[in-house]
Amino acid sequence: MALFKKSPGKVRLLVLGTGGMAQAHATAFAKDPRVELVGTVDVMPGRAAEFAKKFGIKKHFTDLDKAIKWGQFDAATNVTPDSIHYPTTMKLLAAKKHVLCEKPLAENFKLANEMATAAEKAKVINMVNLTYRAVAGLQKAKQIIASGEIGEVRHVEASYRQSWLVGNHWGAWDKLPMWLWRLSEKHGSKGVLGDVGIHILDFTTYAIGMMPTNLQARLKTFHKAPGDKIGEYVLDANDSASMIVEFQNGAQGVIHASRFMTGYGNTLRLNVFGTKGGLEIQNDHDLTTLRVCSGEDVHTQAWRDIVKTEAEPANYLKFIDAIVSGKNGDPSFRRAADLQKILDACFTEEASKAVKL
Amino acid sequence: MALFKKSPGKVRLLVLGTGGMAQAHATAFAKDPRVELVGTVDVMPGRAAEFAKKFGIKKHFTDLDKAIKWGQFDAATNVTPDSIHYPTTMKLLAAKKHVLCEKPLAENFKLANEMATAAEKAKVINMVNLTYRAVAGLQKAKQIIASGEIGEVRHVEASYRQSWLVGNHWGAWDKLPMWLWRLSEKHGSKGVLGDVGIHILDFTTYAIGMMPTNLQARLKTFHKAPGDKIGEYVLDANDSASMIVEFQNGAQGVIHASRFMTGYGNTLRLNVFGTKGGLEIQNDHDLTTLRVCSGEDVHTQAWRDIVKTEAEPANYLKFIDAIVSGKNGDPSFRRAADLQKILDACFTEEASKAVKL
Amino acid sequence: MALFKKSPGKVRLLVLGTGGMAQAHATAFAKDPRVELVGTVDVMPGRAAEFAKKFGIKKHFTDLDKAIKWGQFDAATNVTPDSIHYPTTMKLLAAKKHVLCEKPLAENFKLANEMATAAEKAKVINMVNLTYRAVAGLQKAKQIIASGEIGEVRHVEASYRQSWLVGNHWGAWDKLPMWLWRLSEKHGSKGVLGDVGIHILDFTTYAIGMMPTNLQARLKTFHKAPGDKIGEYVLDANDSASMIVEFQNGAQGVIHASRFMTGYGNTLRLNVFGTKGGLEIQNDHDLTTLRVCSGEDVHTQAWRDIVKTEAEPANYLKFIDAIVSGKNGDPSFRRAADLQKILDACFTEEASKAVKL
Amino acid sequence: MALFKKSPGKVRLLVLGTGGMAQAHATAFAKDPRVELVGTVDVMPGRAAEFAKKFGIKKHFTDLDKAIKWGQFDAATNVTPDSIHYPTTMKLLAAKKHVLCEKPLAENFKLANEMATAAEKAKVINMVNLTYRAVAGLQKAKQIIASGEIGEVRHVEASYRQSWLVGNHWGAWDKLPMWLWRLSEKHGSKGVLGDVGIHILDFTTYAIGMMPTNLQARLKTFHKAPGDKIGEYVLDANDSASMIVEFQNGAQGVIHASRFMTGYGNTLRLNVFGTKGGLEIQNDHDLTTLRVCSGEDVHTQAWRDIVKTEAEPANYLKFIDAIVSGKNGDPSFRRAADLQKILDACFTEEASKAVKL
């Protein structure tokens, strides 16, 4: 696939958005000697100027259109609020800019698909910042599964475990806007499913190299405050989400996520069981464990820790790699759209049909 | 509830069935000084006589009716094939005998319910041999949850993990009748769901003290032999079973079981997450681990091992306890019928409705 | 070895001592249908009477001599203070009574050896209550090592981990006499070495089936209170004890114990490494884990949990078994004397010679 | 301390030695944009030329003296055989070159001390490549201990666990020179103590921030081949080494290492117990676990995993950092000399005096 390739010289990057996550992006890109931060945009007056000053960026804008008109950049990293990803990215694509977009790519499959299609037509680098790709051990897990060491996948158990609705380790969920908005659909939240369910879906399907072909799902919002409301926040977004999925080869599995998995801060756990072995990977920040039972060990249930793992670089680096090489990186917009399709399905009435007991 | 109470003297026990599991029953009951094995029944000529000789039992019968006519026994332990549980137990109940019945109580809820109702009317001790009640730590887990230490249950992850379709640790599944019948519906199998799914359902609902109110389920039979057949055995019973359930208080959870969970011999794993803590219990034979994160530890995700656990006695002892005290034991026929209702629901088309992706 | 064998009828047991541990003994023996508690002795006025009443024991004495003169008992369980073990046991042996003695058998090897020799001459059952013999998994570990599965033992790491000098889980060590005496040599304490070091020495050497042939040791008493004194208790007993030992086959190892191993309540941990495999066992109350790496797994460092373990019966039962069978049980007085020899060596100046750095 | 500071421009580096480890050094330094590989030396004809070609190095020498005479380099990395470290490093120091030296710095404390003193006098950057400083979690462990979170250190258990004398995971120890020389004193080996014992000593004392003040030790060489010889290799170097040490504050501990710790590939394990908590860190390649029990958790033995750890950069980077900043890096020659003193003591007869049992 011949995409627009980077001309010699540094990649000139526009930072779209100036919030906390944008600062993380800017900090990461600033370390890459192949990148020059050339502009930043924020619609809130003064914020772009301040951000530009902090990161030594020459140009700042309060309007993406003006930045595009100026045009002296090769690529943009889109760190705007979730609902703004679509309109801003579409403009960038129209201007033939490479785009790294924060997750979720869009609010639903229709928009995400449109974005993926537009990016493919524009032949620009298009990536989504699904951060858990960089987990030490995920690449190794994927390689082990792809090598056939555990045979054909038969059964999967995957979960994303958080507990910030119980513990105070991430601050007061009932006071801080950064958590409250995640509990409210009107504030753009798709609940735990949209927030981290997408990560465990990506993690799982990336590791096993297969997508689900059908699913059943259950979303649950628990009563957490009088009138299910705190200030302006209506607490209606899902807190727990559970799925039964069937994969392309007929394997089945459960995938679930909750903000009530007390005792876990931010844990992804994946168990993959095949016809010749089993594999388990668990990650929480820098702590990853990966173990395998295969070969003759399937008869004795002996497990060995995989002690040599090689983490993928962060998406920031992979985005620049892609621009430099002219070969699109993974996870792409297309990948994000495919995941969005699964999330959308979870919200359908049909997915949650249950038998009363 | 005033049931028939044991008259002074030993409990006179009839052993119904003479197979491997019946020998386990006889061996266990023989150790109890409160019990006298007085009779045994097997319809296969000669088997009851042989069994009687081995265990020093005076009377043996090839017909339950004759044993009932003779009548010199207080209680019976029913270790017949699954499909024979219903007719034999109903006769025993009609004769006002206490009955310990192997699991599953019956082939479906209708029959199980009939048996439970009959037992209640007969006012005899009625128990089902759900063996995992005796797991060290299960009582402790139940106590911890009941005490409110982990708050109100919100999310549950439970699984029964086996791998005898992959490893040879339990012998050749594709040659031995003891495994082959479990793969074939015509041979009376309800698959992994009926075989061990019932155990993890009992384990989970017993620990949390709540039953599901509705469920979604997926059963899967994998291709395992040419023509999905080995000798007389049509391999049509489910190998993997996954459920999403909602419990009486609105908590949700995933419960699943598979014979393809490679790396696990015979493991029950239960994670219960509540508004004030989390609890994890895992068992495989004599190895049980139970750990809890609660109190201030929910803010730091510290877990403590519970090192003092007290195992419940085996059902054999509890059955005799119940006869001696006149107070029915747990798990009762009613309990088994309630579990059977859940299993039945899993087999309905409605439970497995899924969204295509 | 033909010892005095039990005459028909129940074993008539005298309980020597009436403290907390004596109650544990009485409770355990009372459950054994082969035993009748016939008498109890305590030199403190009134205590034996009270104890006799509580346990339904007919005879009580304030003097062992009187009990011996009365003589209507077959065996005694000696639960007197450590320093009283020797004189009381010697009298019981002279009277040809079977004796189960609490650990430590005596205060030093000389006395312990005398007791062992006397018991052997008297040809009575003689056992010491080293309780950790009953740990689930220890028998299995011993079998695995004895079977040659891990080859010839080369290296050992063993520890007894307590933390009651840091945590309050066992009460206030600086206020309760039950802990304070353990910190004071004048109150008969040999420190952590005598208190639990003996257990890990027994555990280790029992598991590997070899005794040390020489040792280096370091005992340490930490400053814990003003003037190293609390009330009448001079805090001079060792808090940490470390040994390097060489075993009979030339294998070497470290064995250590401390009351400052924070994060461990009462944990025995043993790692045994051989020419064909490694084995690890850890116990704290009812929680035991046992795992093995052997066979082809030594090349991949895969470990398998041993899930089927069979606990030895408690010493109470083994003592009665021994009396009934006429075959002495293990651990015997001789065993305890052999262990005492090791403990004594740790206290010598020679054992702790070190190089200044 | 004002050391020679780097003049503007790249650090010009000489690579001394061309073996496997030298290639690792060259590869690492080549990635650092602050470094230019300018020369290489190997006394074996042709090897330096080949190495220079492979890494694009302009100058190559068969004699260090010639390279020094040429002089166009700022720093050298010394990857010569262990016994050559001393003479080569002394020449480099005399020429005022910064030196990164492979471990062990020298064969004994006398030489190591001389080197440290010479480096200090020369006021050049001097570092030793103790690689485990870069273990994720070690810095965090050190910080936690230094912060006082676990109180004053009381008891330590540390080990370096290898098993290449049992498993074949690192190749055939009895055939490959790369392993055989490690078993033979004449080939320059100090056994497991010199090979990896030094790492666990550095790891432990770095983490707790204290050195031992005295020690007892036991070294053991096991019989491994007929006549304890394979080809030219006399198998006389130690296979297992155990120490009891006392630290500066009076804390005690056991530190041991063995090539017979079957089931462990290359594992450093450190347990530190203090008056307010306990800490455990274990590392094998990319797999590090770090957990802590502190605060109120000392009363319940709850442990929390530390999931956020920040690895120190490798010594290669720290060496260049030091040259650029003019501030010497850690571990320095002085540090290495201090460690060597401990190793030397282990080999004294006095350290291994034991009591016969």
Side-chain angles (χ1 to χ4, degrees):
Chain A
M1 185 174 24
L3 302 182
F4 283 97
K5 204 168 168 176
K6 172 70 196 72
S7 56
K10 293 198 171 191
V11 174
R12 298 168 304 166
L13 187 76
L14 183 79
V15 181
L16 201 54
T18 62
M21 199 62 197
Q23 304 208 14
H25 279 235
T27 304
F29 280 118
K31 284 184 191 158
D32 192 325
R34 302 168 298 177
V35 175
E36 185 182 4
L37 302 181
V38 294
T40 180
V41 182
D42 198 306
V43 294
M44 300 284 280
R47 289 191 57 173
E50 190 187 341
F51 189 88
K53 196 176 165 193
K54 180 170 181 182
F55 288 95
I57 299 172
K58 284 177 191 161
K59 300 288 283 185
H60 51 88
F61 305 90
T62 53
D63 187 335
L64 174 59
D65 294 333
K66 287 179 191 155
I68 288 174
K69 197 170 170 192
W70 165 65
Q72 305 299 311
F73 62 100
D74 308 300
T77 189
N78 192 340
V79 207
T80 55
D82 295 359
S83 60
I84 312 300
H85 292 171
Y86 171 78
T88 49
T89 296
M90 291 304 279
K91 286 180 182 178
L92 289 162
L93 295 176
K96 304 283 185 201
K97 304 299 183 187
H98 307 294
V99 184
L100 173 67
C101 186
E102 256 309 313
K103 54 120 308 220
L105 183 56
E107 292 174 279
N108 56 51
F109 172 67
K110 190 180 158 293
L111 298 181
N113 186 42
E114 221 178 290
M115 291 161 83
T117 304
E120 285 156 8
K121 277 194 188 151
K123 294 192 177 174
V124 293
I125 300 300
N126 55 94
M127 290 181 66
V128 177
N129 193 23
L130 290 162
T131 44
Y132 292 93
R133 291 295 182 93
V135 161
L138 175 57
Q139 292 302 318
K140 189 75 188 174
K142 184 179 180 61
Q143 285 164 21
I144 289 169
I145 295 168
S147 76
E149 183 177 332
I150 66 164
E152 199 181 348
V153 174
R154 286 283 193 248
H155 199 87
V156 169
E157 182 192 63
S159 55
Y160 199 121
R161 305 156 101 92
Q162 293 187 325
S163 57
W164 52 268
L165 285 175
V166 177
N168 62 18
H169 44 287
W170 287 357
W173 68 266
D174 53 354
K175 293 191 180 62
L176 299 173
M178 69 177 295
W179 302 118
L180 281 167
W181 84 261
R182 284 180 161 82
L183 301 173
S184 170
E185 293 197 352
K186 276 185 197 147
H187 286 77
S189 175
K190 301 281 185 180
V192 70
L193 183 65
D195 196 20
V196 302
I198 188 174
H199 283 304
I200 189 65
L201 270 171
D202 181 57
F203 197 85
T204 300
T205 55
Y206 179 70
I208 68 173
M210 288 190 295
M211 293 295 275
T213 55
N214 63 64
L215 68 78
Q216 295 162 269
R218 183 79 57 93
L219 306 179
K220 176 78 187 182
T221 310
F222 291 99
H223 173 60
K224 297 181 292 293
D228 293 318
K229 209 176 159 178
I230 293 180
E232 61 180 305
Y233 300 91
V234 177
L235 308 184
D236 55 359
N238 60 85
D239 301 313
S240 280
S242 298
M243 283 172 247
I244 302 174
V245 299
E246 182 163 341
F247 295 102
Q248 288 161 327
N249 75 340
Q252 75 164 218
V254 293
I255 303 179
H256 58 123
S258 177
R259 291 161 173 171
F260 273 112
M261 293 216 218
T262 310
Y264 293 90
N266 194 58
T267 299
L268 294 90
R269 186 189 281 181
L270 171 62
N271 288 221
V272 183
F273 302 103
T275 53
K276 293 183 181 171
L279 173 152
E280 307 194 344
I281 179 170
Q282 181 171 313
N283 168 261
D284 185 351
H285 289 88
D286 303 325
L287 177 55
T288 301
T289 51
L290 171 60
R291 57 182 208 134
V292 175
C293 170
S294 63
E296 293 303 305
D297 286 334
V298 303
H299 309 303
T300 59
Q301 293 80 52
W303 288 81
R304 63 183 200 282
D305 289 316
I306 305 297
V307 297
K308 293 182 190 172
T309 52
E310 268 174 53
E312 276 275 276
N315 291 319
Y316 310 115
L317 265 86
K318 292 200 293 183
F319 180 57
I320 304 303
D321 286 349
I323 292 171
V324 169
S325 71
K327 186 166 176 300
N328 201 28
D330 182 36
S332 66
F333 280 17
R334 180 56 58 203
R335 168 76 182 171
D338 289 346
L339 292 169
Q340 192 63 49
K341 200 178 197 174
I342 303 173
L343 295 192
D344 285 10
C346 290
F347 286 97
T348 62
E349 202 184 326
E350 196 189 347
S352 63
K353 273 197 181 143
V355 181
K356 289 240 168 84
L357 291 165
Chain B
M1 185 173 25
L3 303 182
F4 282 98
K5 205 168 167 177
K6 167 80 194 67
S7 56
K10 292 198 173 193
V11 173
R12 297 168 303 165
L13 187 78
L14 183 79
V15 181
L16 200 54
T18 61
M21 199 64 196
Q23 304 207 14
H25 280 234
T27 304
F29 279 118
K31 283 183 192 159
D32 191 326
R34 302 169 299 177
V35 175
E36 185 182 4
L37 302 180
V38 296
T40 181
V41 182
D42 198 306
V43 294
M44 301 284 281
R47 289 190 59 173
E50 189 186 343
F51 188 87
K53 195 175 166 194
K54 180 170 181 181
F55 287 95
I57 299 172
K58 285 178 190 161
K59 300 289 284 183
H60 51 88
F61 306 88
T62 53
D63 186 335
L64 174 59
D65 294 333
K66 286 181 191 153
I68 288 175
K69 196 171 171 193
W70 165 65
Q72 304 299 310
F73 62 99
D74 306 299
T77 189
N78 191 340
V79 208
T80 56
D82 295 0
S83 61
I84 313 301
H85 292 173
Y86 171 79
T88 48
T89 297
M90 291 304 278
K91 286 181 182 177
L92 289 163
L93 295 176
K96 303 284 185 199
K97 303 299 182 187
H98 307 295
V99 183
L100 173 67
C101 187
E102 255 310 312
K103 55 121 306 221
L105 183 57
E107 292 176 280
N108 56 49
F109 172 67
K110 192 182 156 291
L111 297 182
N113 187 42
E114 220 177 291
M115 291 161 85
T117 305
E120 285 156 8
K121 277 194 189 151
K123 294 190 176 173
V124 293
I125 299 301
N126 55 95
M127 291 182 66
V128 177
N129 193 23
L130 290 162
T131 45
Y132 292 92
R133 292 293 182 93
V135 161
L138 175 57
Q139 292 302 318
K140 190 75 187 173
K142 185 180 179 61
Q143 285 164 22
I144 290 168
I145 295 168
S147 76
E149 182 176 331
I150 67 164
E152 199 181 347
V153 174
R154 285 283 193 249
H155 199 87
V156 169
E157 182 192 64
S159 55
Y160 198 120
R161 306 156 102 92
Q162 293 187 325
S163 58
W164 52 269
L165 285 176
V166 176
N168 62 17
H169 43 289
W170 288 357
W173 68 265
D174 53 355
K175 294 193 180 62
L176 299 173
M178 70 178 294
W179 302 119
L180 281 167
W181 84 261
R182 283 180 163 81
L183 302 173
S184 171
E185 293 197 352
K186 276 185 198 149
H187 287 76
S189 175
K190 300 282 184 178
V192 70
L193 183 65
D195 196 20
V196 302
I198 188 174
H199 283 304
I200 190 65
L201 271 171
D202 180 57
F203 197 84
T204 301
T205 54
Y206 179 70
I208 68 174
M210 287 188 295
M211 292 296 276
T213 55
N214 63 66
L215 68 78
Q216 295 162 269
R218 184 78 59 94
L219 306 179
K220 177 78 187 182
T221 309
F222 291 100
H223 174 60
K224 296 180 294 291
D228 293 318
K229 210 177 158 179
I230 292 180
E232 61 181 303
Y233 299 91
V234 177
L235 308 185
D236 56 358
N238 59 85
D239 301 314
S240 280
S242 297
M243 283 172 247
I244 302 174
V245 300
E246 183 164 340
F247 294 102
Q248 288 162 326
N249 75 339
Q252 76 165 215
V254 294
I255 303 179
H256 58 122
S258 177
R259 291 161 174 171
F260 274 112
M261 291 216 220
T262 310
Y264 293 91
N266 194 57
T267 300
L268 294 90
R269 188 190 279 181
L270 171 63
N271 286 222
V272 183
F273 302 103
T275 53
K276 294 182 181 171
L279 173 152
E280 307 194 344
I281 179 169
Q282 182 171 313
N283 167 262
D284 186 351
H285 288 87
D286 302 326
L287 177 55
T288 301
T289 52
L290 171 61
R291 57 183 207 134
V292 175
C293 171
S294 62
E296 294 303 305
D297 287 333
V298 303
H299 309 303
T300 58
Q301 293 79 54
W303 288 82
R304 63 181 201 282
D305 290 316
I306 305 297
V307 297
K308 294 182 190 171
T309 52
E310 268 173 53
E312 276 275 276
N315 291 320
Y316 310 117
L317 265 85
K318 292 202 292 184
F319 180 56
I320 304 303
D321 286 348
I323 292 171
V324 169
S325 71
K327 189 168 174 297
N328 201 28
D330 183 33
S332 66
F333 280 18
R334 178 56 58 202
R335 169 76 182 172
D338 289 346
L339 292 169
Q340 192 63 49
K341 200 178 197 175
I342 303 173
L343 294 192
D344 284 9
C346 290
F347 285 97
T348 63
E349 202 183 326
E350 196 190 348
S352 64
K353 273 199 179 141
V355 180
K356 287 239 167 87
L357 291 165
Chain C
M1 185 174 24
L3 302 183
F4 282 98
K5 205 169 169 177
K6 169 75 194 68
S7 55
K10 293 199 173 192
V11 173
R12 298 167 302 165
L13 188 77
L14 182 79
V15 181
L16 200 53
T18 62
M21 199 64 197
Q23 304 207 14
H25 280 235
T27 304
F29 280 119
K31 283 184 191 158
D32 192 326
R34 301 170 299 177
V35 175
E36 184 182 5
L37 302 180
V38 296
T40 181
V41 183
D42 199 305
V43 295
M44 300 284 282
R47 290 189 59 172
E50 190 187 341
F51 189 87
K53 196 177 166 193
K54 181 170 179 181
F55 288 95
I57 298 173
K58 284 179 192 161
K59 301 288 283 184
H60 51 88
F61 306 88
T62 52
D63 186 335
L64 174 60
D65 293 334
K66 286 180 192 156
I68 288 174
K69 195 170 172 194
W70 165 64
Q72 304 299 310
F73 62 100
D74 306 299
T77 189
N78 191 342
V79 207
T80 56
D82 295 359
S83 60
I84 312 300
H85 292 172
Y86 171 78
T88 48
T89 297
M90 291 304 278
K91 286 180 182 177
L92 289 163
L93 296 176
K96 303 284 185 199
K97 303 300 182 186
H98 306 294
V99 183
L100 173 67
C101 187
E102 256 309 312
K103 56 117 312 215
L105 182 57
E107 291 175 279
N108 56 51
F109 172 67
K110 190 181 158 291
L111 297 181
N113 186 41
E114 219 177 291
M115 291 161 83
T117 304
E120 285 156 9
K121 278 195 188 150
K123 294 191 177 175
V124 292
I125 299 301
N126 55 94
M127 290 181 67
V128 177
N129 193 24
L130 291 162
T131 45
Y132 292 93
R133 292 294 182 93
V135 161
L138 175 56
Q139 292 303 318
K140 190 75 187 173
K142 184 180 179 62
Q143 286 164 20
I144 289 169
I145 294 168
S147 76
E149 183 176 331
I150 67 164
E152 199 181 349
V153 175
R154 285 285 192 247
H155 199 87
V156 169
E157 182 192 63
S159 55
Y160 198 120
R161 304 156 103 91
Q162 293 186 324
S163 58
W164 52 269
L165 285 175
V166 177
N168 62 17
H169 43 289
W170 288 357
W173 67 265
D174 53 355
K175 293 193 181 61
L176 299 174
M178 69 178 293
W179 302 119
L180 281 167
W181 84 261
R182 283 180 162 83
L183 301 174
S184 171
E185 293 196 351
K186 275 184 198 151
H187 287 76
S189 175
K190 300 281 184 179
V192 71
L193 183 65
D195 196 19
V196 302
I198 188 174
H199 283 304
I200 190 64
L201 270 171
D202 180 57
F203 197 84
T204 300
T205 54
Y206 180 71
I208 68 174
M210 287 189 296
M211 292 296 275
T213 55
N214 62 65
L215 68 79
Q216 295 163 270
R218 184 78 58 94
L219 306 179
K220 176 78 186 182
T221 309
F222 291 100
H223 174 58
K224 296 181 293 291
D228 292 319
K229 208 176 160 180
I230 292 180
E232 62 181 304
Y233 299 93
V234 177
L235 308 185
D236 55 358
N238 61 85
D239 301 315
S240 280
S242 297
M243 282 172 247
I244 301 174
V245 300
E246 183 164 339
F247 294 101
Q248 287 161 328
N249 75 340
Q252 75 164 217
V254 294
I255 303 179
H256 58 122
S258 177
R259 292 161 172 170
F260 274 111
M261 292 216 219
T262 311
Y264 294 90
N266 195 57
T267 300
L268 294 90
R269 187 189 280 180
L270 171 62
N271 286 220
V272 183
F273 302 103
T275 53
K276 294 182 180 172
L279 173 151
E280 307 193 345
I281 180 169
Q282 182 172 313
N283 167 262
D284 186 352
H285 289 87
D286 302 325
L287 177 55
T288 301
T289 52
L290 170 61
R291 57 182 207 135
V292 175
C293 171
S294 63
E296 293 303 305
D297 286 333
V298 302
H299 309 303
T300 58
Q301 293 79 54
W303 288 81
R304 63 182 201 282
D305 290 316
I306 305 297
V307 297
K308 293 183 191 171
T309 52
E310 267 174 54
E312 275 274 276
N315 291 319
Y316 310 116
L317 266 84
K318 292 202 292 183
F319 180 56
I320 303 303
D321 286 349
I323 292 171
V324 169
S325 71
K327 186 167 178 297
N328 200 28
D330 182 33
S332 66
F333 279 17
R334 178 58 57 204
R335 169 76 181 171
D338 289 346
L339 293 169
Q340 192 63 48
K341 200 178 196 175
I342 303 173
L343 295 192
D344 285 9
C346 290
F347 285 97
T348 62
E349 203 183 327
E350 196 190 349
S352 64
K353 274 197 181 144
V355 180
K356 287 239 168 86
L357 292 166
Chain D
M1 186 175 23
L3 303 182
F4 283 98
K5 203 169 168 175
K6 169 75 195 68
S7 55
K10 293 198 172 191
V11 173
R12 299 168 301 167
L13 188 76
L14 182 80
V15 181
L16 200 55
T18 62
M21 200 62 196
Q23 304 208 15
H25 279 235
T27 304
F29 279 118
K31 283 182 191 159
D32 192 325
R34 302 168 300 176
V35 175
E36 186 182 5
L37 302 180
V38 295
T40 181
V41 183
D42 198 306
V43 295
M44 301 284 281
R47 290 191 57 171
E50 190 187 342
F51 188 87
K53 196 177 167 193
K54 180 169 180 182
F55 288 95
I57 299 172
K58 283 177 193 162
K59 301 288 283 184
H60 50 88
F61 306 89
T62 52
D63 187 334
L64 174 59
D65 294 334
K66 287 179 191 156
I68 288 175
K69 196 170 172 192
W70 165 65
Q72 304 299 310
F73 62 100
D74 307 300
T77 189
N78 192 341
V79 209
T80 55
D82 294 359
S83 60
I84 313 300
H85 292 173
Y86 171 78
T88 49
T89 297
M90 291 304 277
K91 287 180 181 178
L92 290 163
L93 296 176
K96 303 283 185 201
K97 303 300 183 186
H98 306 295
V99 183
L100 173 66
C101 186
E102 255 310 313
K103 56 120 303 219
L105 183 56
E107 292 176 279
N108 56 50
F109 171 67
K110 191 180 157 294
L111 298 181
N113 187 41
E114 220 178 291
M115 292 161 84
T117 304
E120 284 157 7
K121 278 194 187 149
K123 293 191 178 175
V124 293
I125 300 300
N126 55 95
M127 289 181 66
V128 177
N129 193 24
L130 291 162
T131 44
Y132 292 92
R133 291 294 181 94
V135 161
L138 175 57
Q139 292 302 316
K140 190 75 188 174
K142 185 180 179 62
Q143 285 164 22
I144 289 168
I145 295 168
S147 76
E149 183 176 331
I150 65 164
E152 200 181 347
V153 174
R154 286 284 193 247
H155 199 88
V156 169
E157 181 192 64
S159 55
Y160 198 120
R161 305 157 101 92
Q162 293 186 324
S163 57
W164 52 269
L165 285 176
V166 177
N168 62 17
H169 43 289
W170 287 357
W173 67 266
D174 52 355
K175 295 193 179 60
L176 299 172
M178 68 178 295
W179 302 120
L180 281 167
W181 84 261
R182 283 179 162 82
L183 302 174
S184 170
E185 293 197 351
K186 275 184 199 151
H187 287 76
S189 175
K190 300 281 184 180
V192 70
L193 183 65
D195 195 20
V196 301
I198 188 174
H199 284 304
I200 190 65
L201 271 171
D202 180 57
F203 197 85
T204 300
T205 55
Y206 179 70
I208 68 174
M210 288 189 294
M211 293 295 276
T213 55
N214 63 65
L215 68 78
Q216 296 161 269
R218 183 80 57 94
L219 306 179
K220 176 79 189 183
T221 309
F222 291 100
H223 174 59
K224 297 181 291 294
D228 293 318
K229 210 176 159 180
I230 293 180
E232 61 181 304
Y233 300 92
V234 177
L235 308 185
D236 56 358
N238 60 83
D239 301 314
S240 280
S242 298
M243 282 173 248
I244 302 174
V245 299
E246 182 163 342
F247 295 101
Q248 288 161 326
N249 76 340
Q252 75 164 217
V254 293
I255 303 179
H256 58 123
S258 177
R259 292 161 172 171
F260 274 112
M261 292 216 220
T262 311
Y264 293 90
N266 194 57
T267 300
L268 294 91
R269 186 189 280 181
L270 171 61
N271 286 222
V272 183
F273 302 103
T275 53
K276 293 183 181 171
L279 174 152
E280 307 194 344
I281 179 170
Q282 182 171 313
N283 167 261
D284 185 351
H285 288 87
D286 302 326
L287 177 56
T288 301
T289 52
L290 171 60
R291 57 183 206 133
V292 175
C293 171
S294 63
E296 294 302 305
D297 286 334
V298 303
H299 309 303
T300 58
Q301 292 80 52
W303 288 81
R304 63 181 200 283
D305 289 317
I306 304 298
V307 297
K308 293 183 190 171
T309 52
E310 268 174 54
E312 276 275 277
N315 291 319
Y316 310 116
L317 266 86
K318 292 201 293 183
F319 180 57
I320 304 303
D321 285 349
I323 292 170
V324 169
S325 71
K327 188 169 176 297
N328 201 28
D330 182 36
S332 67
F333 280 16
R334 179 57 56 203
R335 169 76 182 170
D338 289 346
L339 292 169
Q340 193 62 49
K341 199 178 197 175
I342 303 173
L343 295 192
D344 285 10
C346 290
F347 284 97
T348 62
E349 201 183 327
E350 196 189 347
S352 64
K353 275 199 178 140
V355 180
K356 289 241 167 84
L357 291 166

